[in-house]
Each structure stands twice: as C-alpha cells, then as structure tokens.
Amino acid sequence: QGVYHLSEFEGTPQDSGAYAAHSSEYTGGLGLAGVIGNGATFSGAGNMMTIPDNPAFNFSTGFTFSAWIKMFQPQSEGVLFSRMSGDAGIQISVAGTKLSVRVSDGTNVYQPEESTDLPQDGWHFLAVTIAPVGRITLYLDGIETGWMDMKTDLAGIKGDILIGAGKSGSNAFAGDLDEVRISGTARSQGWIRAAHASQGVESKLLTHSLEEISEAGSGLPVFYLATIFKNITLDGLVVI
C-alpha cells in the first residue's frame, strides 16, 4: 500500500507504489548513503515524516511494516511507525535497543514481549506483521524474534501515518531508515526472509560466477556454440 525508497535528495519522500500516497511533510535529512541507494536520517529532535490519511491504507485484512534501520545509540522510545485514531492504533518503536509493538482497538491493548536487541552496527532489516484476530509477529534480519496472539481486527485504525516520531514530534527516533514499506496484509515468514535476502548489500537471492569451460564436461563448450552461431546462415538458424 506504500513503498518509500527514500532516495530523494530534497523535498518530501514519495510513494513508489500504485496509490501515490506521498508524504506531505518531512523534517529530517535526505540524500545520505542507505542500504539501497539513498536513505533518510532522523536526528531524534522531532524529525518525522507525515503520510496523510488515505483510503488505500486499509488494514482490515492485515498489516506489515518493514524497513532497514541503522542506530547509533539506544532510544528512549523512538517511534518508527504510528497510526492512531483516538485510543485505537498501531505503534512500532524502539525502546532502548529492542523493537516494541503496541496494538489497541480502543479497549484492549496487545503488546508482545520486546524483541532481541537491535545491533548498533550497520544496517539491519526489521519487520512487523499483524493478522487480524490472529497474531502479531516481530522479525529482525528475516528471523522471527517475538509474537503474540491478538483477538481483535484492525478495521477501526485510521488517521495520518507518522514515521520517525509520534504526534507533535514526541518520542522521536534517532538514526537512519531506508526502504520503508507498508502492506495491507500480514506477510509470511518466507516473504520476510526473501525481502531481507534480496534487499541487503550482501544479497544472496541471486549469485553468479565466471562461466567454466571444460572439455570433459557434457554438452558443447561455450566457445564452440559461439563459433556456430557466428557462422550459421539464416536458414540454418530457422532449422535449429
């Protein structure tokens, strides 16, 4: 529902997804080196990105937030994602060095145990998935680090989305973010692991090496194939 590469050098971060849910305000820094091209930096002094309420952000069938994060220090309670409508809403933050998630339907509050410590060296991939009347799951670098059953849906959660701080710049996050994604479904563990593997600087989703030519191997060596196609006539190519 929202894909923010944070690759801009100025202005406000744009949505690369189909709904064009662009941010309306951003007070942090852009243009720094991220894990995928450029990224965004938040000083911890109230910097935030505001994405106006949009019908595209419908979490009634599920929710996933994912981002690459780089921290330089523990956080008091740095908000990474917040969408609140009164007392109902979702808030994802870093408390100390641990990922924390709080989901409320206005009456009940669901808050899984905080994740394992977020390393303070380099970029790391975090994700939170929420299945309505299902399960809240926390991931770090593609590995599940915490979960909790939830007995409510997310249909009543509306309002602006805030990245990097809560309302009025409260609980500001200090660090860097890159490749922020918001989905209207609870992504599977396989999807989370694939995202981590394919987006990182040491991507292992696709690898390649120099072609090996061996006379003892089966089939024709590349050299002979290249010679054939270089000298073949059009009629011969059609026959093949």
Side-chain angles (χ1 to χ4, degrees):
Q1 295 177 346
V3 180
Y4 304 90
H5 298 307
L6 305 178
S7 58
E8 295 82 6
F9 283 95
E10 58 183 14
T12 58
Q14 303 292 289
D15 175 21
S16 299
Y19 298 104
H22 306 309
S23 64
S24 61
E25 180 184 6
Y26 178 66
T27 57
L30 292 170
L32 82 158
V35 69
I36 308 172
N38 294 331
T41 187
F42 298 80
S43 68
N47 293 155
M48 61 191 296
M49 182 172 85
T50 302
I51 306 170
D53 193 13
N54 190 313
F57 295 114
N58 178 6
F59 301 155
S60 61
T61 57
F63 167 82
T64 297
F65 171 82
S66 66
W68 286 86
I69 181 174
K70 186 177 183 181
M71 291 197 322
F72 305 101
Q73 62 189 40
Q75 312 286 313
S76 56
E77 187 180 357
V79 172
L80 301 175
F81 173 97
S82 177
R83 192 187 193 193
M84 303 297 297
S85 178
D87 293 331
I90 301 172
Q91 181 163 294
I92 302 170
S93 58
V94 179
T97 58
K98 297 180 182 292
L99 182 63
S100 176
V101 181
R102 185 179 186 274
V103 181
S104 173
D105 60 9
T107 303
N108 303 299
V109 175
Y110 300 91
Q111 191 164 359
E113 288 188 13
E114 297 171 345
S115 73
T116 55
D117 289 302
L118 292 167
Q120 296 181 60
D121 58 336
W123 289 94
H124 295 275
F125 182 74
L126 60 82
V128 174
T129 66
I130 304 176
V133 195
R135 176 170 166 162
I136 305 169
T137 310
L138 287 63
Y139 296 90
L140 176 61
D141 289 335
I143 305 299
E144 182 179 320
T145 61
W147 64 274
M148 180 182 190
D149 287 329
M150 186 181 71
K151 298 180 180 179
T152 188
D153 59 36
L154 305 175
I157 296 179
K158 304 181 185 302
D160 295 347
I161 291 175
L162 306 178
I163 305 292
K167 287 186 177 180
S168 302
S170 60
N171 301 114
F173 168 72
D176 299 340
L177 292 178
D178 196 4
E179 197 65 17
V180 171
R181 296 186 176 223
I182 301 167
S183 303
T185 185
R187 299 291 188 183
S188 67
Q189 184 179 41
W191 190 96
I192 299 295
R193 294 182 67 182
H196 170 251
S198 63
Q199 294 176 10
V201 293
E202 298 180 357
S203 170
K204 296 179 176 62
L205 201 61
L206 173 65
T207 60
H208 60 86
S209 60
L210 294 175
E211 185 140 25
E212 196 173 294
I213 299 176
S214 171
E215 294 183 1
S218 61
L220 286 173
V222 173
F223 171 78
Y224 294 117
L225 289 174
T227 302
I228 290 171
F229 278 98
K230 181 179 179 180
N231 294 283
I232 199 168
T233 64
L234 178 60
D235 291 341
L237 188 60
V238 170
V239 169
I240 292 176

